[in-house]
Amino acid sequence: MRVKVISRSTDEFTRERSQDLQKVFRNYDPALRSQEKAVEYTRALNAAKLEKIFAKPFVGAMNGHIDAVSCMAKNPNHLKAIFSSSMDGDIRLWDIAARKTVCQFPGHQGAVRGLTTSTDGDLLVSCGVDCTVRLWKVPMLKMVDTSDRTGDNSQPSAVYTWKHAFWGADHQWDGNLFATVGAQVDIWDPDRSEPINSFEWGKDTVLSVRFDPGDCNILITSGSDRSLTLYDLRMSSPARKLIMKTRCNSVCWNPREPMNFTAANEDTNCYSFDARRLDEAKIVHKGHVSAVMDIDYSPTGREFVTGSYDRTVRIFNYLGDHSREIYHTKRMQRVFCVKYTYDGTYLVSGSDDTNLRLWKSKASEQLGVLLPRERKKQEYQDALKERYKHLPEVKRIVRHRHLPKPIYKAANLRRTMIEAESRKEERRRKHSAPGSMAVQPFRKRRIIKEVE
Amino acid sequence: MEVAKYSRGQGADLKALRDKKLKGQLSVKEKLYGQSAKAAAKAEKWLMPNDGVLGPYNIGYTSNGRYMLVGGQKGHLAMMDMLHMDLMKEFEVRETVRDVTFLHNEQFYAVAQKKYPYIYNRHGTEIHCLKEHGKALKLQFLSKQFLLASINSFGQLHYQDVSTGEMVANYRTGLGRTDVMRANPYNAVIGLGHAGGKVTMWKPTSVKPLVTMLCHHGPVTAVAFDRGGNLMATAGVDRKIKIWDLRKYEVVHSYPARAQSLDFSQKGLLACSNGSQVEIYKDFGGHDYKLYMKHKIMKGYQVGKVLFRPYEDILGIVHSMGFSSILVPGSGEPNFDTFVDNPMETTKQKREKEVHALLDKLPPETIMLNPNMIATVRAPKKKEKKTKEIEEEMEDAIEAAKNIERKKKTKGRSKPSKRAKKKEEDVFKAKRPFLEQSDKIDGRPDKKQRIGEEVELPKALQRFAKKPQS
């Protein structure tokens, strides 16, 4: 009679030579593993704690400017380069990897308010309060040559003087036109010394402009009359205007969903709109405690970064109503401009204290090339945190951020005020005739009207 | 000290001698014999006692089945590598050893000795003496939580975390001395069998046992848990072996047999030791346990503990002549998972596994009867809206309370503020039964156990009952 009994020979289960890989045998039977859920939960807790241990978002600061940084520009063809300009007219090209100035572009006689690059990366357009638009030929090849690093001066290839001070500039994505804004919206061709077209709606200053990445003829501007205006270059007059209760400092289109844009408003919120339906905001992003000065989208279109007058930089998920991350330093004063780098890994913030700061977009990310095992481990830990993030212990750790005291206090104060307001509203509604007080969603509350 | 052994018979009888010189010489020699016998007897205590039987043994296997630890009652300890049949370390502790168990791997093991349990290294060096546990009778190691549990002669259950050294819990079971203890591998709950026939289940975060079951009509002699977590086998002095379903807490099978010790294998076979034989029961589909194998050892020798070796078809048997192992086809898990337990581990793999186990160490709060309850969503409370009738009744009661005529006190004792306060108290009293009603409507049990509300006293004692507040 044959009786089957387990008999294992060590040769089958161990490796032959030390240069072979170790043999791995799997049995996925859950009966072999007890208390799986508890183990997974413990791992999620440990993953959340490790994320906090490795969270070191600040990479470095780039100093060189001698006045506050007013605006920045980036180009998709050159990942390492970023242009920045300051309030005294100094424009610099930085190498982000070395955090040093490659090239300087002197010439402006006042604050430079608008900075933009052409799509192919050869041309830099700058405009400022001295009523001039300067075009520069950008020595991008200089970035490769490491020996010639000292701030080299270039001459502008063209200087156009116009009638009024400029407040912003942006370049078309697919064409070679660029727009500048100030008292009105001007569309320029780089070869002409005068704008080829001008738009105006009302007599107020226009503060910022952005071309739509999806459709090269559409652009949006924000004005000091608390409005957001949509223009179409093919039409002779502006298309649509949206008036809000407070002014928008900056606007940015979502590069992956080009019909959506987000506006950074003075009332500390950011409003995301669908350009086809301007009567209601899609999402209101709350978080900052002071005016939001600048906004930029990540190239993935899934998150955006905002810089605010309250000395912090916040990262939001494109659909999130609260920020996922907040960056602050004692030395960073009012943030005037922020930019996401074109690989989505870093963000650059330019602030009042004349420095540009480089931050990681994921604070605990390990930079550089990861081995496949490291990458898998990271993905597993991210998945664990995602699965257990609603449990109180894990949520507490994942959500925890240290805020500077003034911001913490200001946020608490705002919360108390808003809660008091909403409680009073609720009571008023309860004690008045049903239906006599209209319920207005917050998304509509800050909009006054839409004008054709 | 046995001097008689060394004295080689009785001394010569010197009284019968007439020769004084001979008498003197022989008496000196006899004295010398006496002294040398005493010296030899003294030297004997430096030798290993070689009785042939060093007491009944206790055995333990590591979780991957590779190393085995034997500890004899008389203090003989030995650790063996069963894969290569190597004796790793053998030494004597020269005191009673009541139980042995490996900790998370073969590097450390715990031995319950005469007064306290000790922790030893793989080299046999004593590392820790766990004085707080007292006279431990049985030890169990919970590997995922790194907890060493012990039951001592006073019936106290101790849980100690061996990675940090902290004593996590220590409870008085209140049911007397017991030496039947087993850890349930499915949910890390400790099951104790008591002299009254009760089996209690404990976790380190509660003072009272999780479950108390009356299993037998007499003391419980052995308890074993199935790896799947559904079955428990208990044996008692009442000559019954019962197999229980742990979800319904009902008997699945009951056999008229005695068992000194029980063990479940990885594949669900149940081994019972009974006198000089070992019986193995197998589940032939649907929890239908029938006799599968019987093994008899030499007549006259008693079988003590039986323990299945993990990942092998081997059952280790301890009997009064020592230790032997038998083959039981179908009892071990043939396919092991390298990341769970690897019987053929290299040193590096062992070190990595230890580090990962420490990182994933579960806190003692995760031990519960149903381990899958973690991260589930609690069902929302169903708040039954107060029906209108109850509301109306409440309002009526409040009105009535407000309209009670209160006696007006004289001599300045009826101040308006006091009257108003009394009125408020009466209104609250009237509201209270309605509020209590709404509390009971919640699914959750009332935290305060109100005893005596539903107890019906016999008539003779009713005069002593607490009268409800009017």
Side-chain angles (χ1 to χ4, degrees):
Chain A
M1 190 179 97
R2 301 192 72 177
V3 177
K4 289 194 221 166
V5 185
I6 297 176
S7 76
R8 294 195 191 95
S9 78
T10 37
D11 302 331
E12 277 174 30
F13 294 91
T14 50
R15 63 182 178 182
E16 283 177 11
R17 281 159 292 199
S18 62
Q19 66 232 67
D20 288 343
L21 294 172
Q22 293 281 7
K23 291 190 179 168
V24 169
F25 301 90
R26 300 309 302 263
N27 180 353
Y28 298 103
D29 188 3
L32 286 182
R33 300 160 168 80
S34 63
Q35 302 164 75
E36 277 179 304
K37 279 250 159 133
V39 171
E40 209 176 49
Y41 170 73
T42 309
R43 283 186 186 159
L45 201 60
N46 289 341
K49 291 179 186 171
L50 281 175
E51 187 197 1
K52 284 282 165 276
I53 291 172
F54 291 123
K56 295 187 166 79
F58 184 57
V59 179
M62 298 183 259
N63 48 17
H65 280 299
I66 53 173
D67 205 342
V69 179
S70 61
C71 52
M72 298 194 286
K74 55 183 182 177
N75 189 277
N77 296 324
H78 306 275
L79 287 180
K80 269 201 311 182
I82 194 158
F83 296 91
S84 71
S85 67
S86 70
M87 298 288 195
D88 65 350
D90 182 21
I91 303 173
R92 287 169 187 248
L93 168 63
W94 300 88
D95 177 356
I96 296 181
R99 299 203 285 279
K100 287 202 162 25
T101 312
V102 172
C103 191
Q104 286 196 4
F105 305 91
H108 271 282
Q109 312 290 335
V112 179
R113 289 282 180 199
L115 201 61
T116 176
T117 58
S118 66
T119 325
D120 50 7
D122 285 339
L123 194 68
L124 172 70
V125 177
S126 67
C127 60
V129 296
D130 59 352
C131 314
T132 54
V133 174
R134 285 164 206 255
L135 275 69
W136 312 80
K137 277 220 132 28
V138 181
M140 281 300 185
L141 297 170
K142 275 205 171 182
M143 305 269 288
V144 184
D145 187 358
T146 49
S147 59
D148 198 1
R149 268 298 163 89
T150 51
D152 200 22
N153 297 0
S154 308
Q155 293 298 318
S157 67
V159 181
Y160 305 138
T161 320
W162 195 234
K163 297 182 246 185
H164 54 81
F166 294 109
W167 275 87
D170 196 32
H171 199 284
Q172 215 179 28
W173 280 77
D174 284 334
N176 59 355
L177 301 175
F178 64 89
T180 59
V181 288
Q184 61 201 40
V185 181
D186 300 313
I187 312 293
W188 301 72
D189 186 309
D191 308 319
R192 307 281 211 86
S193 66
E194 278 187 1
I196 55 173
N197 207 346
S198 281
F199 295 100
E200 199 179 7
W201 189 340
K203 291 286 173 201
D204 294 287
T205 332
V206 185
L207 296 172
S208 74
V209 62
R210 276 277 190 269
F211 268 98
D212 185 349
D215 188 347
C216 55
N217 291 315
I218 296 185
L219 53 103
I220 187 165
T221 63
S222 71
S224 65
D225 58 348
R226 302 173 271 116
S227 67
L228 287 167
T229 319
L230 272 172
Y231 294 85
D232 191 331
L233 291 182
R234 297 163 291 203
M235 290 164 46
S236 60
S237 63
R240 259 192 158 67
K241 190 174 192 175
L242 171 70
I243 304 178
M244 297 182 70
K245 285 195 175 152
T246 43
R247 175 185 92 201
C248 286
N249 287 321
S250 178
V251 193
C252 188
W253 293 89
N254 184 335
R256 288 276 166 245
E257 294 176 1
M259 61 282 194
N260 297 332
F261 64 87
T262 308
N265 204 307
E266 271 287 312
D267 68 350
T268 78
N269 299 333
C270 297
Y271 297 89
S272 285
F273 290 91
D274 184 338
R276 304 165 294 189
R277 256 200 84 187
L278 287 179
D279 61 344
E280 181 178 315
K282 276 183 72 178
I283 305 159
V284 179
H285 310 274
K286 302 180 200 171
H288 279 293
V289 296
S290 193
V292 189
M293 303 304 289
D294 197 13
I295 180 169
D296 192 33
Y297 261 90
S298 153
T300 62
R302 289 290 169 263
E303 39 187 39
F304 60 87
V305 60
T306 58
S308 138
Y309 196 70
D310 70 356
R311 300 191 221 110
T312 57
V313 168
R314 278 184 196 250
I315 304 178
F316 289 83
N317 185 343
Y318 81 121
L319 290 176
D321 55 346
H322 284 97
S323 61
R324 122 174 129 75
E325 190 71 77
I326 170 171
Y327 294 153
H328 57 86
T329 322
K330 268 200 183 140
R331 293 187 181 186
M332 183 162 75
Q333 303 302 318
R334 319 289 176 182
V335 181
F336 284 136
C337 44
V338 283
K339 279 270 185 271
Y340 235 111
T341 56
Y342 266 116
D343 59 354
T345 334
Y346 299 96
L347 39 116
V348 187
S349 70
S351 57
D352 204 357
D353 55 275
T354 77
N355 289 333
L356 274 91
R357 283 188 178 76
L358 189 66
W359 306 84
K360 281 195 252 183
S361 95
K362 285 199 173 41
S364 51
E365 185 186 13
Q366 192 180 349
L367 299 171
V369 180
L370 291 175
L371 294 170
R373 269 199 207 179
E374 287 178 322
R375 216 186 46 233
K376 274 208 175 106
K377 183 71 186 289
Q378 261 311 110
E379 286 169 10
Y380 177 58
Q381 294 199 324
D382 290 338
L384 277 173
K385 278 179 278 184
E386 188 61 36
R387 182 185 258 207
Y388 288 92
K389 67 180 177 202
H390 60 284
L391 288 177
E393 281 288 317
V394 181
K395 184 159 101 170
R396 196 183 123 242
I397 295 172
V398 169
R399 238 171 46 111
H400 176 260
R401 296 277 183 291
H402 175 253
L403 291 178
K405 213 184 221 165
I407 294 177
Y408 181 69
K409 286 196 170 157
N412 281 346
L413 191 61
R414 272 181 71 83
R415 199 181 314 130
T416 329
M417 288 162 72
I418 289 169
E419 278 178 10
E421 190 60 50
S422 68
R423 242 177 314 164
K424 288 184 181 153
E425 179 83 21
E426 195 51 48
R427 283 178 195 152
R428 276 188 212 119
R429 190 164 292 130
K430 222 168 79 170
H431 291 278
S432 50
S436 63
M437 276 191 83
V439 181
Q440 227 194 0
F442 199 85
R443 298 189 298 279
K444 283 202 182 190
R445 231 175 274 180
R446 305 298 296 181
I447 297 170
I448 294 182
K449 67 174 173 176
E450 188 187 346
V451 185
E452 194 62 31
Chain B
M1 243 183 13
E2 282 196 48
V3 183
K5 191 164 75 167
Y6 294 96
S7 52
R8 287 163 176 89
Q10 293 206 330
D13 184 13
L14 299 175
K15 286 210 181 95
L17 276 178
R18 308 294 297 289
D19 188 357
K20 279 194 186 149
K21 205 179 184 185
L22 187 59
K23 210 183 195 178
Q25 282 171 351
L26 283 178
S27 69
V28 168
K29 282 211 180 97
E30 287 296 312
K31 231 195 214 169
L32 272 175
Y33 287 151
Q35 281 172 356
S36 65
K38 267 209 193 117
K42 267 198 198 150
E44 191 203 9
K45 40 177 206 195
W46 295 101
L47 298 174
M48 296 293 232
N50 193 13
D51 291 317
V53 168
L54 290 165
Y57 279 87
N58 286 294
I59 53 175
Y61 285 108
T62 49
S63 60
N64 60 6
R66 182 159 170 186
Y67 296 91
M68 183 179 77
L69 181 65
V70 286
Q73 197 90 326
K74 297 271 190 324
H76 175 220
L77 279 172
M79 182 162 89
M80 298 187 62
D81 174 359
M82 299 304 269
L83 193 64
H84 302 299
M85 285 303 171
D86 268 337
L87 178 66
M88 310 252 310
K89 185 71 194 175
E90 178 182 19
F91 61 104
E92 291 267 331
V93 293
R94 305 217 321 237
E95 358 178 73
T96 324
V97 163
R98 294 199 193 89
D99 196 15
V100 293
T101 178
F102 274 111
L103 298 188
H104 54 281
N105 55 19
E106 80 283 359
Q107 307 283 331
F108 302 99
Y109 47 92
V111 179
Q113 292 182 207
K114 177 169 159 201
K115 272 189 171 173
Y116 325 106
Y118 290 82
I119 294 183
Y120 292 88
N121 201 345
R122 72 193 148 138
H123 300 299
T125 14
E126 177 193 314
I127 296 180
H128 298 289
C129 167
L130 309 174
K131 285 218 166 104
E132 285 180 38
H133 291 242
K135 210 161 136 183
L137 298 175
K138 272 280 184 314
L139 298 171
Q140 286 284 294
F141 187 67
L142 306 172
S143 53
K144 290 240 156 58
Q145 286 82 3
F146 279 77
L147 288 176
L148 182 65
S150 76
I151 181 88
N152 75 9
S153 57
F154 298 118
Q156 288 170 339
L157 184 60
H158 291 259
Y159 283 94
Q160 183 154 27
D161 185 333
V162 296
S163 61
T164 55
E166 150 190 25
M167 182 66 87
V168 172
N170 126 23
Y171 300 123
R172 299 199 308 268
T173 56
L175 292 162
R177 177 202 162 112
T178 167
D179 63 353
V180 176
M181 175 164 97
R182 213 51 194 258
N184 185 341
Y186 177 66
N187 55 14
V189 149
I190 298 275
L192 296 173
H194 299 278
K198 284 196 199 155
V199 166
T200 50
M201 297 199 206
W202 299 81
K203 68 174 182 176
T205 48
S206 75
V207 181
K208 292 273 169 210
L210 286 168
V211 178
T212 314
M213 307 166 51
L214 184 63
C215 291
H216 289 276
H217 290 294
V220 176
T221 50
V223 169
F225 289 96
D226 183 35
R227 308 288 157 123
N230 294 332
L231 295 173
M232 174 175 78
T234 60
V237 159
D238 61 349
R239 278 172 289 145
K240 276 209 170 51
I241 297 176
K242 293 188 185 172
I243 299 182
W244 300 81
D245 180 333
L246 283 180
R247 287 167 298 192
K248 292 195 291 184
Y249 299 103
E250 279 175 6
V251 185
V252 171
H253 274 280
S254 174
Y255 303 102
R258 236 187 261 115
Q260 170 74 2
S261 125
L262 295 168
D263 191 31
F264 271 103
S265 86
Q266 277 177 324
K267 283 292 192 191
L269 270 64
L270 175 64
C272 334
S273 67
N274 177 3
S276 63
Q277 70 185 11
V278 177
E279 287 165 356
I280 296 165
Y281 293 88
K282 186 169 171 170
D283 166 18
F284 291 97
H287 290 323
D288 178 24
Y289 274 80
K290 286 210 253 307
L291 188 62
Y292 175 61
M293 265 171 71
K294 236 192 221 186
H295 173 76
K296 276 204 164 88
I297 57 170
M298 219 154 86
K299 202 165 183 175
Y301 293 111
Q302 297 291 315
V303 175
K305 188 171 174 185
V306 283
L307 203 61
F308 277 103
R309 186 172 151 193
Y311 298 105
E312 293 282 348
D313 279 340
I314 291 173
L315 174 67
I317 301 172
V318 168
H319 48 76
S320 40
M321 276 325 291
F323 169 82
S324 60
S325 51
I326 59 169
L327 286 175
V328 181
S331 66
E333 171 65 58
N335 307 310
F336 60 85
D337 187 325
T338 321
F339 298 110
V340 174
D341 282 312
N342 187 354
M344 276 153 253
E345 238 170 7
T346 62
T347 334
K348 262 198 186 163
Q349 286 175 337
K350 183 170 58 203
R351 283 200 310 245
E352 286 288 311
K353 184 157 176 276
E354 186 177 13
V355 172
H356 283 296
L358 279 169
L359 283 172
D360 293 338
K361 183 179 89 166
L362 301 176
E365 297 84 45
T366 52
I367 298 178
M368 51 186 77
L369 277 177
N370 176 13
N372 293 325
M373 215 177 66
I374 293 180
T376 49
V377 181
R378 195 197 283 159
K381 235 175 19 177
K382 280 193 200 151
K383 240 198 177 133
E384 264 185 57
K385 288 206 180 133
K386 267 190 186 164
T387 55
K388 277 218 160 163
E389 293 145 10
I390 301 177
E391 265 192 41
E392 280 176 19
E393 273 180 48
M394 192 168 93
E395 281 181 15
D396 288 339
I398 292 174
E399 276 298 312
K402 282 190 186 163
N403 293 337
I404 299 174
E405 275 214 6
R406 282 166 205 96
K407 201 170 161 192
K408 277 227 170 79
K409 291 201 174 164
T410 55
K411 293 194 184 176
R413 283 193 286 246
S414 86
K415 283 206 203 126
S417 56
K418 289 208 176 137
R419 269 188 281 151
K421 212 171 161 184
K422 199 90 190 12
K423 195 172 174 192
E424 232 184 86
E425 270 179 32
D426 287 334
V427 168
F428 180 67
K429 264 191 220 160
K431 261 204 216 165
R432 210 193 326 184
F434 297 99
L435 295 175
E436 285 177 357
Q437 237 181 41
S438 78
D439 274 345
K440 283 211 179 115
I441 287 171
D442 296 352
R444 307 251 188 85
D446 206 1
K447 280 208 172 161
K448 264 198 202 143
Q449 283 187 338
R450 288 176 215 282
I451 347 156
E453 271 179 354
E454 290 140 29
V455 170
E456 280 291 312
L457 286 174
K459 223 176 177 176
L461 297 173
Q462 270 178 9
R463 69 178 83 172
F464 301 112
K466 205 174 184 183
K467 292 213 172 56
Q469 269 182 326
S470 49

